[in-house]
Amino acid sequence: MTHLVFFCGHAGTGKTTIAKRLIGPLMRATGEAFCLLDKDTLYGRYSAAAMGALTGNPDDRDSPLYLQHLRDPEYKGLLDTTRENLELGVSVVVVGPLSREIRDRRLFDRQWLGIGDDVMVQIVWVYTSEETAHARIVARRNPNDAYKLTHWDAYRQRRFVPSGAAREGLLMFDNTAPTAADLDALLRAIVEGRSA
């Protein structure tokens, strides 16, 4: 059995940091090879080039133009690459916001993902307060965040934390100030196939 682990959440929540911290322990705990597919690593340079050509601003990565024309093809490519690795017997850790896909429950749909029952899927929603996320985004000084920071009031309207029925099947992880014990508990939940 292969594993597919999503680390989802909004900008500044620490998705990539958590994924990179846990991928080695995941490999040791499962005895499986994993690859890490981070949407920004796979598509960041391409999106910057495309937005630079379209708008003259390569850092315009959260504008309506980007969201309408580039977001979905990036995610489809990310999932296509994920599926290819799984078909080769390589487990995958996927990092990306995937907020629409969480809200629409598409990540829970094996047919939509194009995967069989032999893949164990775990979806981790990484979250923190808006204030903490904003401070982290400012501190990391990534040009890709320029549009978000300039248009924070509009961006913050898209931020949400799944609640009620929307939490079903998710592993919720508060990444404000996690301890080693918190990370160990998350690792165990992923490996054992538990959800919140």
Side-chain angles (χ1 to χ4, degrees):
M1 175 175 281
T2 50
H3 287 72
L4 170 55
V5 184
F6 290 99
F7 286 90
C8 309
H10 300 294
T13 56
K15 302 177 297 295
T16 302
T17 301
I18 295 294
K20 287 181 176 179
R21 192 159 172 187
L22 290 183
I23 195 166
L26 268 172
M27 287 191 275
R28 288 189 291 277
T30 63
E32 296 177 16
F34 275 79
C35 71
L36 175 71
L37 300 178
D38 186 312
K39 186 183 84 68
D40 286 342
T41 304
L42 286 171
Y43 293 103
R45 291 180 188 273
Y46 168 79
S47 294
M51 292 308 291
L54 292 170
T55 69
N57 181 0
D59 302 326
D60 189 5
R61 296 271 310 282
D62 222 288
S63 67
L65 180 69
Y66 169 84
L67 294 173
Q68 183 177 356
H69 297 288
L70 294 180
R71 181 201 182 276
D72 287 347
E74 283 186 6
Y75 280 116
K76 286 178 183 169
L78 176 65
L79 293 173
D80 289 344
T81 307
T82 297
R83 205 165 29 257
E84 283 186 346
N85 278 277
L86 292 169
E87 289 168 358
L88 293 170
V90 179
S91 291
V92 183
V93 168
V94 175
V95 180
L98 291 153
S99 54
R100 280 188 210 166
E101 291 73 14
I102 292 285
R103 201 170 5 213
D104 297 343
R105 306 290 294 174
R106 283 182 279 179
L107 288 190
F108 301 91
D109 183 343
R110 288 177 178 274
Q111 185 174 358
W112 185 82
L113 288 170
I115 61 172
D117 291 335
D118 58 330
V119 179
M120 179 186 284
V121 181
Q122 287 288 64
I123 305 167
V124 181
W125 181 265
V126 182
Y127 66 96
T128 189
S129 70
E130 180 183 334
E131 295 75 22
T132 300
H134 186 271
R136 288 176 180 172
I137 292 170
V138 170
R140 70 188 182 190
R141 295 189 174 130
N142 187 327
N144 294 340
D145 295 322
Y147 190 93
K148 283 184 191 72
L149 292 172
T150 303
H151 302 88
W152 188 259
D153 284 339
Y155 170 71
R156 68 190 296 270
Q157 300 303 315
R158 298 201 322 264
R159 285 181 50 89
F160 73 100
V161 176
S163 60
R167 282 186 172 212
E168 187 178 335
L170 292 175
L171 283 166
M172 302 294 293
F173 189 77
D174 183 348
N175 196 31
T176 303
T179 65
D182 294 330
L183 291 165
D184 288 343
L186 177 60
L187 175 64
R188 282 194 307 274
I190 292 169
V191 172
E192 293 170 7
R194 289 186 279 120
S195 60

